[in-house]
């Protein structure tokens, strides 16, 4: 096993109004646990990413960063719907493909939202048919495996913690738990 010294932090934090402060809090916790953390974040104010060339450069830079880290902690907290931020899901997939260990957490405001199918039901609307299959309002099947996230994100995580908290977008308990699990993994 390769030593774990550097971490990629993925999640919706980059889009928060206090993104910079939250990123500093997360990185400080990682440093206290003995890891150097990296994260994506938004483009700096004044940066112009309006062209396809600039967007591709940003993508290539992010991919290079993902290749350099040893492991990842991903925040799968629902973002703008019942699922995690799409960039977070993509980055988790890339890191999994690179063979990097991934630890994850999900913050929910109520225990009734801990399972994916329940979040879809509450946020989008779903109904269990007579055949026992959950479907959304368009009749599409909703994955119902009793998991907190889709099977592909859930199964890739070495550990996935579900945290019930009134402050789903700022609570770092899950990050702290992932750091503890990662330290054990790295020993």
């Amino acid at each position: 096993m390769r030593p774990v010294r550097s971490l990629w932090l993925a999640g919706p934090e980059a889009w928060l109004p206090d993104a910079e402060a939250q990123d500093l809090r997360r990185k400080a916790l990682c440093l206290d646990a003995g890891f150097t953390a990296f994260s994506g974040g938004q483009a700096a104010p004044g940066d112009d990413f309006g062209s396809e060339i600039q967007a591709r450069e940003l993508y290539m830079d992010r991919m290079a960063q993902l290749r350099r880290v040893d492991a990842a902690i991903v925040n799968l907290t629902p973002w703008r719907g019942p699922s995690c931020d799409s960039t977070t899901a993509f980055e988790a997939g890339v890191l999994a493909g690179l063979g990097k260990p991934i630890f994850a957490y999900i913050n929910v405001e109520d225990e009734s939202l801990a399972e994916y199918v329940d979040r879809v039901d509450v946020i989008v609307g779903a109904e269990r048919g007579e055949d026992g299959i959950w479907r959304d309002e368009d009749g599409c099947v909703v994955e119902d495996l009793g998991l907190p996230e889709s099977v592909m994100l859930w199964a890739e995580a070495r550990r996935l913690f579900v945290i019930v908290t009134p402050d789903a977008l700022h609570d770092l308990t899950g990050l702290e738990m992932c750091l503890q699990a990662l330290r054990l993994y790295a020993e």
Side-chain angles (χ1 to χ4, degrees):
M1 176 175 69
R2 183 176 166 195
V4 176
R5 293 185 183 97
S6 61
L7 300 176
W8 184 257
L9 299 176
E13 289 84 0
W15 310 111
L16 298 178
D18 60 344
E20 188 174 331
Q22 185 72 347
D23 197 45
L24 290 173
R25 287 179 61 214
R26 294 186 314 150
K27 288 179 178 175
L29 287 171
C30 293
L31 196 56
D32 287 346
F35 303 104
T36 302
F38 300 91
S39 59
Q42 296 180 24
D47 284 352
D48 180 17
F49 284 99
S51 77
E52 184 176 332
I53 291 170
Q54 291 164 319
R56 294 228 179 256
E57 287 172 355
L58 177 64
Y59 168 82
M60 290 185 306
D61 180 57
R62 181 74 48 90
M63 291 299 290
Q65 290 176 333
L66 294 175
R67 286 183 189 95
R68 284 191 296 267
V69 297
D70 300 319
I73 295 178
V74 295
N75 177 354
L76 299 176
T77 296
W79 177 247
R80 297 181 177 151
S83 299
C84 69
D85 166 52
S86 60
T87 298
T88 300
F90 176 82
E91 289 173 351
V94 167
L95 290 159
L98 293 170
K100 313 284 179 147
I102 298 171
F103 294 78
Y105 65 98
I106 297 175
N107 289 337
V108 292
E109 293 177 0
D110 186 276
E111 193 171 336
S112 67
L113 300 173
E115 289 187 20
Y116 176 72
V117 70
D118 295 330
R119 287 196 308 276
V120 172
D121 183 28
V122 169
I123 296 169
V124 178
E127 171 176 316
R128 186 188 300 262
E130 289 180 20
D131 58 3
I133 297 173
W134 282 91
R135 297 184 188 282
D136 65 16
E137 62 185 30
D138 293 323
C140 298
V141 173
V142 178
E143 185 176 301
D144 178 23
L145 299 174
L147 300 173
E149 189 46 84
S150 70
V151 69
M152 297 304 285
L153 285 170
W154 172 83
E156 186 54 43
R158 305 287 169 115
R159 294 283 182 273
L160 192 149
F161 300 98
V162 178
I163 310 301
V164 178
T165 175
D167 192 1
L169 292 176
H170 290 91
D171 192 312
L172 296 178
T173 304
L175 174 63
E176 293 170 326
M177 294 174 79
C178 286
L179 286 166
Q180 290 172 1
L182 184 57
R183 279 203 325 251
L184 291 173
Y185 171 85
E187 289 179 355

